[in-house]
Amino acid sequence: MSTTTVAHHDEHHDDHPTGIMRWLTTTNHKDIGTMYLTFSLVMFLVGGSMILGIRAELFKPGLQLMNPEFFNQLIGVHALIMIFAALMPAATGFANWMLPLQIGAPDMALPRLNNWGFWILPPSAILLTLPFTLALFGVGDGALATGWTFYPPLSVQGGIGVDFAIFAVHLLGISSVLGSINIIVTIYNMRAPGMTLMKMPMFAWGWLITAFLLIATIPVLAGAVTMLLTDRHFGTHFFDAAGGGDPIMFQHLFWFFGHPEVYILLLPVWGFIPQILQTFSRKPMYGYKAQVYSLWSIGALAVVVWAHHFFTAGMPVPALLYFMYSTMAISLPLAVLFYCWIRTMWKGSMSFETPMLFTVGWIILFGIGGLTGLVLADVAADAQYHNSYFVVAHFHYTLFAGGIMGIMAGVYYWLPKMTGHMYNEKLGKTHFWLTAISFNVTFIPQFFVGLAGMPRRIPDYALQFAEFNMISTVGAFVLGLSQLLFVYIIISCVKGGKKATDRVWEGAQGLEWTLSSPPPYHSFTEQPVVK
Amino acid sequence: MQGMKKFGVGAVALFLSLSARADYTWNFPEPVTPMALDTLHVHNKFMLITAVIFVAVLAIMIYSIVTHRHSKGHKPVADKAPSTAVEIFWTLIPFAILLLIDFVIMGIPAYHSVVMMEDTRDQSTMVIKITGSQWRWQYEYLDGDAKGIKFVSNLATTNDQMHNEADKGEHYLLEVDNPLVLPVGEKVRILMTASDVLHNWWVPQFGSSRVAVPGFIRETWVQVEKEGVYRGQCKELCGKGHGYMPVVVNAVSKQEFAQWATKKQGEQQAANDVKEMTKDELLAQGKVVYEKNCAVCHQVTGAGLPPAFPALTGSKIATGPIFGADGKYQKDSHLDRVLNGKGVMPPWKSTLNDTEIAAVITYERNALGNTAAVDGLVQPTQVKAARE
Ligand code: HEM
Ligand SMILES: [Cu+2]
C-alpha cells in the first residue's frame, strides 16, 4: 500500500499549486471531490430550470411558451443532465471525499486518472447543452428530442442534436468507468490494516457494487449508441427492419444498461443512509451483514430485469412472466434493507438535525417509490401505467426522493467535516420542509393524472387533467426555488460559521471523524489501524 | 415533529378540497373490456396491499421517532450484539412474509392477467389492422362485414384551440375526423404496425396498449362490452406530433356496425372510381387533404420548418415538371415524392386514394404561393396509372 503513495511523492509536500492551477491539475482526492460536488450542484440547477420550463408550459392546457419540438428537447436533456451530470457526479464526489477518509487511506489509488475522470465531465455537459445554443444561430435543429432513451427509429430521424448527445454519453460513460476502476482499486488495496472487507463502512460497499455495475453495463450503452450512430450516418441497419434489423433490439441493449443505472444512482445512497441513521440514533446500525448481502443481491438482480421497461413492446408470455417475477423479487432484499434501517432507529436515542430529517424523509418517500415500483412490475397493469404520468411520478420518488434527497442528507452530514464550519441548522431544517412538502405537491398529482390516462412526454393535454397539472406546476416552482436556499446554505457554510469539532455529531462513528475538520490537505499521513 | 404533523394536516386538507370537485379521476377510468376490468382489479388489489404495508411500516417508524428521542432522554438500548442466528432469523421473517405477498397473493392473479392479455386468437371473430404513422392512425378491416374498409384517422381539434385563440371544445385533443368503429361484444383481434417510428395505441378504458413497430406485426385484442365513444392517445414518444395523435373508438351494436360498414364500403367504392375532375374541384378537395395531412409538417402556408421539413412555396419539386415526354411520371418529381415519400416524408400511396393524391398535388402547385406553368393539373387517372 505504501508503494502507491510513494510513487506520487511529489505531491507529498504541503506546497501544492494554488489558485486556478490548483483545481486544474489537482490529484488530491478532496479537491477532486469538491469539484465533482460543485459540478453536480450546478448541473442540478441547470437540469432543474429546464424542467421548470416544461412545467410552466404544462401549467394550463394549450401551447403557450414553446413549440412541441422544443418541449421534447427539454425533456430529454433534463433527464440526461439530472442522471449523468447531477446525481452520478454527486455520488462520485462523495466517493472521492469520503472513501479514503473512511477506509484510512491517504488518497485514491489512481490520482491522475481521478483528475481525468473529472475533467471529462464539463465538456460532455457542454455537448449536451450546446445544441440549444447552436440552434439559436440557425445551426442544426436543437438538442435530441427523443427523450433520454434515444429510441430508434425516432432517434435515426433526429438532427445533429442526437449526435451531440451520443458523443456526450460516450464521454460521460468513460468518466464513470474511470471513476469506477479507481474506486475498486482503492477499496481493494488501500484499506488501513485491520479493516477487513466485512468491517468496511457501508458506503464503501454501496460504491463497490455500483462500480462493478458500471463497468458491466456502460460498455453496453456505449455499444448501443454507437450502433445508433452508424445507423444514422453509415448505412447500417441494426435497428431498421427494412435492412433486417429490429428497433426493439435497441431497447434491450439500452435497458440492459438503463435498469442497472437506477441502482447505480441509488446504491451509494444506500451506503451512507445507514451511517447517518446510526449516528443520529446513537446506536450501531442493525444487520450490517444482512445489508451487505442485500446490496449484492440487488446488484445481481439489477442486471436481469431490464425488459420490464417495455412490456408493451411485445414479448412471448414466458418472457413476460420471467421479467415480472424477477422484478418483484427485487422487493425482497429491498425490504430487508428497509427493515434494517428502521430497526436501527428502533429504541435508539434519536435527534433530528437536518441530515437525520432528510434521512427519515428519504425513507418514507423512497418507500413510496419502491412500493409503486412493485406495482409496476405487474405486466397487465403496466399496460396502463407504462409511459403514463404514473411512471413519471414513480421514478421521481425513486430518483429525486431516493437519489437527490439522499445526497442532500449526505451533504448536511459531511458539510461540517468538509468545510470546518457548521451550516445554519435553522435554514437547513427550513430547506428540508420546503423540499419535502413541495416535492409531494409536485408529484402526487402526477400519480392521479397518470392513472386517469395522461401519457407522458406530451406538450399539451386534455381538459380533464388541467387542475392536477396546475397543482403540480406550483409544487415544482416552490421545489425549484427552495433549492436556491440550499445553495445559499452551502455557500455561507463554506465561507464561515461556527467552528465544527472533529467528531461533529455526538454519535458519529467511523475513521473520517478522527481527523480534524476540515481534514488536512493530506489525510492520514500516519496510517490508522483498525482493531 | 411539529412540522411532520403540519405536513400531514396540510396534505389531507389539500386532497379534501380537491375531491370536492366533480371531474377528478383518482383511478383508472371506468373499464369497458374484460381486460380493463381485470387490470383494474389487479391494480386495486396491489395498491391496497402496498398501502397497508406502507402504513404499517410508517406507523412503527413514527412511533419510534416519537418515543425513542434523545430530547426525551431515551437511552439507546445497550447493544447486545445480536448473534448471527438471531440476525438471520429476524431478516428471514419479513423475507418469508414478502415471499408470500409477492409470489402468491400478488403473483397468481398477475399470472392470470398476463395469460389472458396475450391470448389474442381464442374466440376472436374479427381482425383489424392498425398502422401508426407520424401523426395519425390508419385502420383497416381485414375480414367480416367491414372487410376492405380502410381509412385514416386524424386529430380534429383546430390549431386555434391549441394556441389559445379559440375556446377549447369538450374533447380538446381527444377528437378525430374518422373514429374507429367496432361492434360491441365481439372479440376483435388487432394487428399493430407502424410506418415510420414507434407508436403506441392506447385507450385507457380498454386496458390495452401495444407498441406499433415499423416492419413488425404485434398483436392485441379488445372486446368492448358497452356502447359508447372511447378516447385515448398515442403513448410512445413519436416526434413533435406525439401529443396530437388521439385514438377515438365508436363502439356500436352489431346491427349498427353492419349498416355503417355497408355505407362506408359504398363511399369507398365511389371514391375509388376515378373520373376526370375540374381544376376547381381538385383545388377544393386538395385544400382539405392538404390541411389534414400535410400542414403538420409543411405548415398551412407552405412555409415548412426548414431544415427538417422543407417549404413547398417555391420548391423545385412542387413547381417542376412531373411527367416526361413519354407521359410517365419522373423520379424525384412531385408525384413520386407524394406516392413514395423520402426520409422523414412518409409515402402516401397506401394512405390516400387516387383522387386525394391528385387533388393535393394540384392544390400544392396552384396555391401556397405557387403557380405551375407545366403539369399544373394532375388527374386521378394519371395517379392511378402511376401506381401501376
Ligand atoms: C425539480 C425537480 C424535478 C422536477 C419538477 C421534474 C419534473 C419532470 C417532468 C415534468 C418530466 C417530464 C415528464 C414527461 O412528460 O415525460 C421529467 C422527466 C424526467 N425526469 Fe425529472 N424532474 C425533477 C428532477 C429530476 C431528477 C433529480 C431526476 C433524476 C436524477 C429526474 C429524472 C427524470 C427523467 C429520467 C425523466 C424522463 C425523461 C424522458 O421522458 O425521457 N428528474 N421530470
Ligand atoms: Cu405516435
Side-chain angles (χ1 to χ4, degrees):
Chain A
M1 192 185 306
S2 51
T3 48
T4 344
T5 48
V6 168
H8 298 284
H9 85 134
D10 53 339
E11 281 132 34
H12 265 243
H13 304 288
D14 254 7
D15 52 351
H16 46 80
T18 49
I20 184 89
M21 282 320 276
R22 162 172 173 195
W23 298 102
L24 281 178
T25 61
T26 185
T27 54
N28 180 286
H29 72 99
K30 292 185 218 84
D31 285 354
I32 293 177
T34 304
M35 292 197 297
Y36 266 108
L37 289 170
T38 315
F39 174 78
S40 145
L41 184 61
V42 172
M43 294 316 287
F44 175 57
L45 298 177
V46 173
S49 358
M50 289 185 163
I51 213 63
L52 290 186
I54 294 285
R55 282 296 356 157
E57 173 60 56
L58 292 174
F59 181 66
K60 60 183 184 120
L63 287 176
Q64 25 271 334
L65 300 173
M66 54 186 85
N67 59 41
E69 188 68 9
F70 189 67
F71 180 94
N72 291 346
Q73 296 174 16
L74 283 186
I75 285 187
V77 179
H78 156 73
L80 285 170
I81 286 188
M82 283 301 190
I83 291 173
F84 287 102
L87 205 40
M88 283 171 82
T92 317
F94 277 129
N96 270 299
W97 247 103
M98 290 303 154
L99 276 184
L101 302 188
Q102 289 197 331
I103 64 175
D107 202 320
M108 296 295 278
L110 310 164
R112 284 270 172 245
L113 191 78
N114 213 3
N115 176 287
W116 269 92
F118 174 78
W119 283 110
I120 294 175
L121 286 181
S124 31
I126 291 172
L127 279 179
L128 275 180
T129 43
L130 191 65
F132 291 124
T133 327
L134 285 181
L136 286 183
F137 294 98
V139 182
D141 30 27
L144 92 163
T146 63
W148 78 290
T149 47
F150 292 90
Y151 283 179
L154 188 62
S155 54
V156 176
Q157 268 184 8
I160 194 173
V162 178
D163 302 316
F164 273 85
I166 289 175
F167 196 36
V169 163
H170 275 141
L171 290 181
L172 292 161
I174 292 172
S175 167
S176 3
V177 170
L178 295 183
S180 301
I181 293 172
N182 204 353
I183 286 168
I184 294 175
V185 178
T186 307
I187 290 179
Y188 276 115
N189 293 327
M190 312 263 295
R191 274 169 290 130
M195 180 170 286
T196 59
L197 282 177
M198 278 319 245
K199 276 191 189 158
M200 243 172 22
M202 195 56 82
F203 182 51
W205 274 118
W207 244 114
L208 187 63
I209 299 164
T210 302
F212 280 122
L213 280 179
L214 274 168
I215 291 180
T217 62
I218 288 277
V220 180
L221 174 70
V225 294
T226 308
M227 287 154 86
L228 193 62
L229 196 71
T230 63
D231 266 16
R232 282 169 57 77
H233 298 294
F234 306 110
T236 56
H237 295 92
F238 291 112
F239 308 124
D240 178 5
D246 182 354
I248 303 301
M249 182 172 69
F250 180 86
Q251 305 192 6
H252 283 280
L253 295 173
F254 179 86
W255 288 109
F256 182 80
F257 149 82
H259 187 76
E261 172 68 10
V262 301
Y263 295 98
I264 288 167
L265 297 168
L266 296 179
L267 276 160
V269 179
W270 295 339
F272 61 69
I273 285 293
Q275 297 181 355
I276 300 178
L277 276 178
Q278 68 178 3
T279 299
F280 294 97
S281 303
R282 297 172 177 76
K283 188 169 160 271
M285 72 178 74
Y286 182 83
Y288 174 85
K289 273 193 220 130
Q291 292 193 47
V292 172
Y293 296 141
S294 297
L295 294 185
W296 276 111
S297 326
I298 293 171
L301 283 170
V303 287
V304 297
V305 298
W306 69 89
H308 67 209
H309 290 273
F310 46 95
F311 280 147
T312 57
M315 252 177 272
V317 174
L320 289 174
L321 291 172
Y322 160 73
F323 282 112
M324 174 169 80
Y325 288 128
S326 54
T327 304
M328 287 178 161
I330 298 182
S331 66
L332 300 172
L334 205 51
V336 174
L337 288 179
F338 271 93
Y339 179 70
C340 293
W341 297 332
I342 290 172
R343 206 37 222 267
T344 303
M345 294 165 48
W346 187 253
K347 298 206 172 157
S349 171
M350 280 182 270
S351 57
F352 292 89
E353 289 85 346
T354 312
M356 183 63 164
L357 278 183
F358 267 98
T359 304
V360 172
W362 180 91
I363 294 179
I364 297 172
L365 297 177
F366 176 59
I368 296 178
L371 287 169
T372 48
L374 179 59
V375 178
L376 279 165
D378 179 67
V379 174
D382 183 66
Q384 297 280 49
Y385 309 134
H386 178 67
N387 271 353
S388 78
Y389 256 87
F390 187 88
V391 170
V392 178
H394 152 74
F395 70 66
H396 282 92
Y397 271 86
T398 55
L399 293 180
F400 190 100
I404 298 282
M405 282 177 68
I407 295 284
M408 285 172 177
V411 169
Y412 284 109
Y413 185 56
W414 281 313
L415 202 54
K417 169 59 56 187
M418 299 193 287
T419 61
H421 307 290
M422 293 307 287
Y423 59 87
N424 183 328
E425 191 63 62
K426 214 176 187 153
L427 288 183
K429 285 186 169 144
T430 313
H431 173 227
F432 168 75
W433 286 110
L434 281 172
T435 304
I437 294 171
S438 57
F439 170 79
N440 283 291
V441 175
T442 310
F443 290 104
I444 287 177
Q446 298 189 6
F447 280 123
F448 296 121
V449 286
L451 292 179
M454 177 166 163
R456 72 195 269 209
R457 297 169 167 171
I458 54 173
D460 194 4
Y461 47 81
L463 302 180
Q464 72 186 105
F465 307 124
E467 278 86 353
F468 277 138
N469 271 293
M470 203 170 265
I471 299 171
S472 182
T473 297
V474 172
F477 272 86
V478 178
L479 183 57
L481 293 177
S482 315
Q483 304 322 311
L484 298 180
L485 181 60
F486 183 47
V487 176
Y488 172 78
I489 294 171
I490 294 176
I491 292 178
S492 40
C493 179
V494 171
K495 282 202 176 142
K498 212 176 92 203
K499 274 251 149 300
T501 58
D502 292 358
R503 188 161 289 278
V504 183
W505 313 109
E506 190 191 346
Q509 296 170 28
L511 284 178
E512 76 261 40
W513 308 106
T514 60
L515 291 167
S516 61
S517 298
Y521 194 71
H522 296 293
S523 21
F524 296 118
T525 30
E526 236 172 275
Q527 203 164 46
V529 176
V530 180
K531 284 181 287 289
Chain B
M1 276 302 92
Q2 198 49 40
M4 193 85 140
K5 262 186 225 142
K6 257 189 243 154
F7 169 49
V9 172
V12 170
L14 181 70
F15 285 106
L16 285 183
S17 68
L18 285 183
S19 54
R21 309 280 304 257
D23 55 343
Y24 280 101
T25 340
W26 300 89
N27 206 337
F28 291 156
E30 184 207 351
V32 294
T33 65
M35 199 195 285
L37 191 67
D38 188 72
T39 309
L40 177 68
H41 286 161
V42 169
H43 163 79
N44 285 345
K45 184 169 187 180
F46 284 18
M47 278 296 173
L48 188 70
I49 294 172
T50 50
V52 168
I53 298 177
F54 181 69
V55 170
V57 173
L58 192 65
I60 296 172
M61 210 170 111
I62 289 181
Y63 172 80
S64 177
I65 285 173
V66 172
T67 44
H68 308 149
R69 294 171 79 90
H70 189 58
S71 55
K72 284 193 175 172
H74 195 277
K75 293 270 173 311
V77 284
D79 201 16
K80 296 194 299 294
S83 68
T84 311
V86 171
E87 207 167 313
I88 289 177
F89 181 75
W90 275 111
T91 37
L92 282 188
I93 286 216
F95 204 84
I97 297 176
L98 267 164
L99 219 53
L100 182 77
I101 295 178
D102 273 10
F103 295 112
V104 180
I105 304 181
M106 295 173 76
I108 293 175
Y111 173 85
H112 287 295
S113 14
V114 175
V115 172
M116 163 202 213
M117 188 163 182
E118 294 297 315
D119 176 14
T120 54
R121 295 177 205 202
D122 195 33
Q123 291 172 356
S124 75
T125 51
M126 197 180 138
V127 185
I128 60 173
K129 181 174 159 210
I130 301 181
T131 310
S133 32
Q134 284 168 325
W135 291 275
R136 56 184 56 82
W137 295 101
Q138 188 183 336
Y139 300 113
E140 188 174 351
Y141 294 75
L142 299 184
D143 62 3
D145 286 347
K147 185 166 180 186
I149 294 180
K150 191 173 157 184
F151 57 87
V152 177
S153 178
N154 286 296
L155 174 72
T157 302
T158 62
N159 245 311
D160 301 353
Q161 293 183 27
M162 298 194 248
H163 289 93
N164 305 316
E165 282 148 12
D167 284 344
K168 298 183 174 34
E170 187 192 351
H171 298 297
Y172 177 66
L173 294 185
L174 297 179
E175 52 202 344
V176 297
D177 53 359
N178 265 325
L180 176 66
V181 180
L182 292 179
V184 159
E186 284 196 47
K187 178 163 176 180
V188 181
R189 182 170 157 224
I190 296 177
L191 304 182
M192 188 85 64
T193 189
S195 64
D196 35 44
V197 303
L198 305 176
H199 300 272
N200 189 326
W201 192 83
W202 183 41
V203 179
Q205 285 178 277
F206 294 176
S208 56
S209 137
R210 195 52 91 215
V211 178
V213 186
F216 292 83
I217 299 276
R218 296 286 193 258
E219 293 182 47
T220 184
W221 61 275
V222 298
Q223 180 174 356
V224 190
E225 283 171 341
K226 198 174 142 197
E227 290 181 30
V229 181
Y230 303 106
R231 297 166 199 277
Q233 275 174 290
C234 173
K235 206 161 66 143
E236 184 79 49
L237 180 57
C238 55
K240 74 187 179 64
H242 167 53
Y244 307 104
M245 218 178 137
V247 176
V248 178
V249 179
N250 223 341
V252 298
S253 69
K254 285 191 186 129
Q255 299 91 301
E256 243 178 290
F257 180 73
Q259 284 165 6
W260 170 82
T262 320
K263 186 167 147 259
K264 194 85 177 176
Q265 274 159 338
E267 276 171 22
Q268 205 152 307
Q269 204 68 49
N272 283 345
D273 287 342
V274 295
K275 53 178 197 301
E276 290 281 312
M277 292 169 78
T278 67
K279 186 169 177 184
D280 286 342
E281 280 173 335
L282 285 169
L283 283 179
Q285 189 175 354
K287 182 166 167 33
V288 177
V289 177
Y290 179 82
E291 283 171 5
K292 201 179 265 179
N293 298 287
C294 321
V296 238
C297 298
H298 297 292
Q299 308 300 305
V300 189
T301 57
L305 277 176
F309 305 110
L312 295 180
T313 310
S315 124
K316 270 212 206 74
I317 291 182
T319 53
I322 298 180
F323 301 101
D326 56 355
K328 288 228 170 68
Y329 80 100
Q330 296 177 325
K331 206 176 165 318
D332 275 328
S333 66
H334 198 167
L335 181 54
D336 179 28
R337 194 61 92 246
V338 176
L339 280 176
N340 303 314
K342 184 185 177 189
V344 186
M345 162 97 170
W348 294 93
K349 62 170 172 251
S350 61
T351 329
L352 299 178
N353 63 32
D354 298 338
T355 313
E356 287 166 327
I357 292 183
V360 81
I361 293 181
T362 305
Y363 176 75
E364 285 174 354
R365 301 172 83 76
N366 294 286
L368 309 175
N370 290 334
T371 42
V374 280
D375 302 334
L377 214 74
V378 176
Q379 286 293 347
T381 43
Q382 288 175 301
V383 178
K384 188 170 179 170
R387 281 188 200 262
E388 278 140 24

